[in-house]
Amino acid sequence: EQPSDSTLYVNAGYQENELSDFAVMEVITWDRALSDDEMKASVNYLKWKLRVGSALEVSEHLATEIQKNFDSFAHPQLDDIASQTFDVPLANGYRADLSGWSHTRPRARGFLKSGAGTATAVVKGLTPAAKYIYQVYMVHEVSTWEGEAKISVNHGHNAHVEQSDLNWPVLQGVAEATSAGEITFEFERGTTDVHIDLSSIAIAQVAGSLSALQELAGVQLGSAASSNSGLVGSGFLHLHLYQQCDSVLL
């Protein structure tokens, strides 16, 4: 069967009064048909998430883009700054070194990169080997420059995300701080000729250990980076949301 465009409705209702008061836990999409094994892995993952999805807690507030952003760096507008490194504050007292960004602009609510190449944000001051939930915000207020970008976390697989004028996270997940207490985010253009924006990064430490979550889930969670056994390593290596994580609780 040839692929074709289709529309997915969530809680649309046949009639206006048929809407429900509910929340979506997760939506997963693929750009191809899944094999039988992949479909089973997807179902098993969703069953697992229903069992432990509420078990992951943070010990710190996970700030929104409105609460903490890079907008103060957009004034005045700076140009030709790709060779500079900016030490920027994050919520919870953390900081990040931003480099490779070519401009600061109000329309990006912070930093912007035009042209090819990689821009980075290295979050520092973290506890080595601790797990952190992260959220990346890439807001662009000019629709003609909205589009796809690629992000990797700790030099993992690229996540393909869409930038827009909405101030919700384009990427979120769980990452482990290195022995130096850092988590590295790398940004590149996607398939279109657009600017890359960075408006905010939210970081909050995970409360408790993953071993307790694994015991609760009744499964052994693998690492996508090392391709260990488990739902993340074997079933979801191709999903951008899980490629940097060895726990999937979003």
Side-chain angles (χ1 to χ4, degrees):
E1 183 178 349
Q2 294 296 320
S4 60
D5 294 335
S6 59
T7 303
L8 172 66
Y9 292 96
V10 178
N11 198 33
Y14 185 74
Q15 302 291 340
E16 184 177 353
N17 61 356
E18 292 180 342
L19 305 182
S20 301
D21 182 10
F22 82 112
V24 175
M25 189 175 193
E26 181 170 347
V27 175
I28 308 174
T29 63
W30 287 268
D31 59 0
R32 59 178 178 79
L34 299 183
S35 67
D36 289 344
D37 288 341
E38 289 172 333
M39 185 66 73
K40 291 176 182 176
S42 303
V43 172
N44 288 335
Y45 158 70
L46 292 172
K47 289 180 179 178
W48 166 80
K49 186 166 186 178
L50 286 174
R51 293 197 300 269
V52 300
S54 62
L56 187 64
E57 297 180 353
V58 293
S59 58
E60 303 167 314
H61 173 63
L62 191 62
T64 65
E65 188 270 340
I66 294 176
Q67 293 170 331
K68 191 68 174 179
N69 54 51
F70 302 146
D71 192 51
S72 62
F73 288 87
H75 306 277
Q77 302 182 41
L78 301 178
D79 298 318
D80 301 321
I81 57 172
S83 61
Q84 300 182 40
T85 297
F86 291 81
D87 178 20
V88 302
L90 308 180
N92 300 318
Y94 301 121
R95 305 191 70 86
D97 288 334
L98 272 58
S99 58
W101 301 91
S102 59
H103 305 76
T104 61
R105 289 291 186 272
R107 63 176 179 265
R109 298 190 189 175
F111 292 82
L112 178 152
K113 178 175 176 55
S114 62
T118 302
T120 63
V122 181
V123 180
K124 55 189 180 180
L126 308 176
T127 301
K131 304 290 182 179
Y132 289 84
I133 293 180
Y134 62 82
Q135 292 182 335
V136 178
Y137 295 85
M138 305 176 73
V139 183
H140 206 299
E141 297 178 349
V142 179
S143 60
T144 53
W145 288 108
E146 297 172 0
E148 186 185 74
K150 296 187 292 184
I151 310 174
S152 69
V153 183
N154 284 342
H155 313 294
H157 298 270
N158 279 326
H160 293 258
V161 303
E162 287 292 328
Q163 304 173 108
S164 72
D165 60 353
L166 301 174
N167 62 342
W168 56 39
V170 297
L171 183 70
Q172 53 188 341
V174 181
E176 179 179 309
T178 66
S179 58
E182 297 177 343
I183 295 176
T184 299
F185 297 87
E186 297 175 296
F187 302 82
E188 296 180 58
R189 276 181 176 177
T191 57
T192 55
D193 184 17
V194 299
H195 293 161
I196 304 170
D197 304 320
L198 184 58
S199 309
S200 179
I201 296 177
I203 292 284
Q205 188 170 356
V206 173
S209 65
L210 288 182
S211 59
L213 298 175
Q214 294 170 351
E215 182 179 353
L216 176 62
V219 297
Q220 177 65 39
L221 302 182
S223 168
S226 58
S227 299
N228 291 336
S229 62
L231 294 177
V232 181
S234 62
F236 286 87
L237 189 58
H238 55 284
L239 271 179
H240 79 263
L241 191 58
Y242 313 110
Q243 288 169 344
Q244 302 88 13
C245 308
D246 46 9
S247 175
V248 190
L249 297 165
L250 303 176

